[in-house]
């Protein structure tokens, strides 16, 4: 991974990573024979992290105005 040049770049990268984790977990839940409930907490945590990163990024933008 390339080191981000600034906080906004880091938050954008985290935003993409967390959504990627949630999406991949969703695909695994549909494609694997294991019980989907085993992966649901992982997907939920990734989506919570995604929302938190979004909140932090949005608040930083407001502070910079």
């Amino acid at each position: 991974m390339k080191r981000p040049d600034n906080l906004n770049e880091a938050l954008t990268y985290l935003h993409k990573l967390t959504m990627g984790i949630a999406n991949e977990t969703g695909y695994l839940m549909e494609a694997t024979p294991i019980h989907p409930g085993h992966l649901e907490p992982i997907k939920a945590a990734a989506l919570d992290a995604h929302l938190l990163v979004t909140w932090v990024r949005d608040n930083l933008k407001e502070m910079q105005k």
Side-chain angles (χ1 to χ4, degrees), residues 30-61:
E30 294 174 7
T32 59
I34 64 172
H35 188 278
H38 292 118
L39 296 173
E40 189 61 41
I42 298 168
K43 184 178 178 183
L47 290 171
D48 285 348
H50 181 76
L51 288 174
L52 184 58
V53 169
T54 302
W55 182 87
V56 169
R57 188 179 62 183
D58 291 347
N59 279 277
L60 284 173
K61 284 181 183 177

